Amino acid sequence: MSSNGANVLLVGQLYQDFILHVDEFPAEDAKKRASKLEIRSGGNCGNTLMVLSQLPNVQTWCMTSLGPKEEAGSMLLGLENQGVNTSTCVFHDHGVNPSSYVIHASNTGTRTIISYNEAQDITLTDYQQRVEKAMSDTKQHFTWVHFEGRNIDNAVQQIDWMHDKAIKENWRDRLTISVELEKPDRENIDALLDKGDVVFFSKLFAEKRGFSDASSFLKAYSVRCRPNSILFCTWGAQGATCLQRATSQILSAPALNIDQVVDTVGAGDTFTAGVIYGLSHGFNLLDVLTFSCELAGRKVAQTGFDQLQQQLDARWNNALFYDSVDRAIT
């Protein structure tokens, strides 16, 4: 782990993504030739790690459940080449590694995703063993642990254990736990509401709960979250909104104005990476929102995640490398 900066562990599901680019979405029972095929590591956790690993002063770790280790090598290679530590991954002797098939229609910018996943869930024991080993090997603790909104019952146990461990060992004030509530129909997902210091919501989640804007949704749901938590809700082309529960302050930032939508796969995950990075490095809340929206916008304007940091406005690159952004959290 890094002794300077953030030590970030992401817990979620890694996928092998097969992305088919077509001019328009095919009709049912049609035969269509794709113009391009991309094969890359994906899943919310993998996408966020691909972005975080490009930014300075952050060490990233991945915990995901996969099949046989020898068959998962190609899936992990892209992350490892970016400096992501995969020693915390959980491997199983049997099963097929998770995969997603994405149809990306260029005329609308939409992507339709069909996933297949038979990987076993990460248990509390799996989590404990790998966290303990990672911290023992490096003699440092994690400063941020992010949980995807899946495997809910086990995730709640893992968060509670991490929280209690950090309190007992006197580093809870230097640990941020974040949770993601993206898919509103996932069983028991509301159990994560009061588990995060930082909570990420999707537009879909808010709309399925009967809300038509991010601000009213965050106001209504903030009472169900931790007293000092910070809540974020992305809203597509309208940008993103956050609410700091301790002050009830609501801030919003617009989406980046781009000429053409090229690839929306992982835009929300890129926003999440921006928030984790910004809060870990002392950006004030409005800067966190603005930075994360720009990062997500740059991603939407290109295919994949390569060299996103290099596309940022000079203001942010100066901040990232020369520490010029105001560091007082709002």
Side-chain angles (χ1 to χ4, degrees), residues 270-288:
T270 302
F271 178 88
T272 297
V275 171
I276 292 173
Y277 187 86
L279 289 180
S280 293
H281 290 81
F283 289 27
N284 65 57
L285 272 182
L286 185 56
D287 279 338
V288 168

Side-chain angles (χ1 to χ4, degrees), residues 206 211-219 233-235 240-241 250 252:
F211 294 86
S212 58
D213 68 277
S215 294
S216 59
F217 167 73
L218 291 178
K219 286 178 184 178
C233 185
T234 54
W235 211 267
T241 300
I250 292 181
S252 296

Side-chain angles (χ1 to χ4, degrees), residues 45-46 57 91-92 105 112 122 141 160 170 177 191 197 200-202 218 220 243 265 267 281 286 302 313 315:
C45 146
N57 301 318
F91 300 99
H92 301 280
T112 304
I122 297 172
H141 61 79
D160 288 345
N170 296 315
I177 296 172
D197 305 308
F200 295 96
F201 295 99
S202 67
L218 291 178
L243 182 149
V265 176
H281 290 81
L286 185 56
Q302 70 172 51
D313 183 89
R315 174 201 179 195

Side-chain angles (χ1 to χ4, degrees), residues 8-17 39-54 58-66 72-91 148 269 273 305-306:
V8 181
L9 170 66
L10 270 74
V11 185
Q13 188 57 64
L14 200 65
Y15 284 83
Q16 186 84 70
D17 282 353
I39 302 175
R40 66 191 187 206
S41 297
N44 294 14
C45 146
N47 295 338
T48 299
L49 285 165
M50 287 296 288
V51 178
L52 273 174
S53 62
Q54 299 177 38
V58 58
Q59 176 64 51
T60 51
W61 296 65
C62 176
M63 187 182 296
T64 190
S65 178
L66 298 170
S74 61
M75 190 184 303
L76 298 177
L77 186 60
L79 292 175
E80 292 168 347
N81 286 342
Q82 288 288 117
V84 177
N85 192 310
T86 61
S87 66
T88 40
C89 291
V90 180
F91 300 99
E148 280 186 25
D269 307 323
F305 302 93
D306 290 347

Side-chain angles (χ1 to χ4, degrees), residues 65-206:
S65 178
L66 298 170
K69 187 173 184 178
E70 58 274 13
E71 296 178 13
S74 61
M75 190 184 303
L76 298 177
L77 186 60
L79 292 175
E80 292 168 347
N81 286 342
Q82 288 288 117
V84 177
N85 192 310
T86 61
S87 66
T88 40
C89 291
V90 180
F91 300 99
H92 301 280
D93 293 336
H94 305 286
V96 177
N97 285 309
S99 56
S100 287
Y101 300 85
V102 183
I103 300 174
H104 180 259
S106 60
N107 65 326
T108 59
T110 59
R111 77 279 193 279
T112 304
I113 304 172
I114 302 173
S115 299
Y116 179 74
N117 179 19
E118 62 178 35
Q120 300 177 40
D121 289 335
I122 297 172
T123 66
L124 175 60
T125 300
D126 291 332
Y127 181 82
Q128 290 172 323
Q129 289 175 346
R130 283 154 183 81
V131 167
E132 294 280 20
K133 187 176 188 308
M135 294 197 296
S136 174
D137 289 346
T138 60
K139 298 179 171 54
Q140 294 187 59
H141 61 79
F142 290 106
T143 59
W144 193 299
V145 182
H146 175 73
F147 291 84
E148 280 186 25
R150 62 170 63 247
N151 185 22
I152 306 299
D153 293 341
N154 280 312
V156 167
Q157 294 178 43
Q158 292 157 17
I159 293 169
D160 288 345
W161 176 82
M162 196 77 182
H163 172 81
D164 293 343
K165 176 181 176 62
I167 289 177
K168 182 179 179 180
E169 297 176 3
N170 296 315
W171 48 274
R172 183 62 179 92
D173 60 334
R174 286 165 285 149
L175 168 69
T176 300
I177 296 172
S178 61
V179 295
E180 175 184 289
L181 289 85
E182 178 188 23
K183 296 180 172 61
D185 299 326
R186 187 158 278 165
E187 186 176 2
N188 297 330
I189 195 167
D190 283 21
L192 294 176
L193 283 167
D194 65 350
K195 296 300 178 181
D197 305 308
V198 175
V199 186
F200 295 96
F201 295 99
S202 67
K203 178 183 178 182
L204 176 64
F205 190 97

